[in-house]
Amino acid sequence: MIFESHAHYDDEVFDEDREELLASFGEKGIGTVINVGASLAGCKETVELTRQYPFIYGAIGIHPSEVGELHEDNFADLEKWCFLDKIVAVGETGLDYHWPEPDPALQKEWFERQLVLARQVKLPVIVHSREAARDTLEIMQAHRAGEIGGVIHCFSYAKEMAREYLNMDFYFGIGGVITFKNSKKLKEAVEYIPMEKILLETDSPYLAPEPNRGKRNSSLNLPYVAQAIADLKGISYEEVVRITEQNARKLFGL
Ligand code: NI
């Protein structure tokens, strides 16, 4: 069954129909979901979701755009959550230079802290990197991220950068963008990345694939992503679903 490696079902846009939506996943072929924390409140709700739904696992971390809320005390809470049974990764963490805030120095500091945390609690890391390719790579190399392991979520860089992350034995989260007409660079990267290193993800509620681009995203759209990858790789849809599930289970230890 489809393994959704990155979604945010704690988001308030799911408040109106969360239960109904999540309950429909099994019969629609969505087998497992990683709900990814992006803020302190989101992490708390992620823990709740993992308790309510047998098929939901969680990642605990603070998105680079949200690091302004962190300090020593609440960072200690993150560490505690990491030891819960169904928490399988640290993240999302990383760098996002698309917006001027928070200051890059602050983003780097908390990215490094979360890499240290991942190593300490022995969990893989989910990395968010947007318009910050060089700095992300430098920090990951400095922290020997290859020993920690993890996934570059919503991978958006070119083939050359994919090679760097492959050298660290990282996985690549591929989502709706692969179905966009203007995603030539990403399509080239996906042709280059071995199937054994690809995970399916949506980043719900964001980045819905064609033909639902612009709408609220959910894991029910993953078949469009899997089909786009199958077409690029010249393999069957079923193979893509099978291999990406296997990859995700290996990475998250499930
Ligand atoms: Ni995300």
Side-chain angles (χ1 to χ4, degrees), residues 16 24 30 49 71 80 112 120 130 158 172 180 202 222 244:
E16 53 181 22
S24 74
I30 312 297
L49 286 170
H71 50 71
K80 268 183 246 158
E112 296 195 70
Q120 204 181 316
R130 187 182 187 197
F172 298 79
F180 298 173
T202 56
L222 277 172
T244 52

Side-chain angles (χ1 to χ4, degrees), residues 175-180 201-202 206-218 220-225:
V177 178
I178 194 70
T179 67
F180 298 173
E201 67 163 53
T202 56
Y206 310 107
L207 294 171
E210 294 288 0
N212 294 320
R213 190 172 180 179
K215 296 184 188 155
R216 185 185 79 170
N217 200 6
S218 89
L220 299 179
N221 283 322
L222 277 172
Y224 298 115
V225 176

Side-chain angles (χ1 to χ4, degrees), residues 38-42 61-63 65-71 74 106 110:
S39 64
L40 286 161
I62 306 297
H63 187 285
S65 303
E66 305 289 336
V67 292
E69 66 173 346
L70 280 173
H71 50 71
N74 56 28
L106 192 72
W110 288 110

Side-chain angles (χ1 to χ4, degrees), residues 6 8 36 63 92 128 153 203 206:
H6 194 119
H8 302 281
V36 179
H63 187 285
E92 57 189 295
H128 170 109
H153 123 77
D203 205 16
Y206 310 107

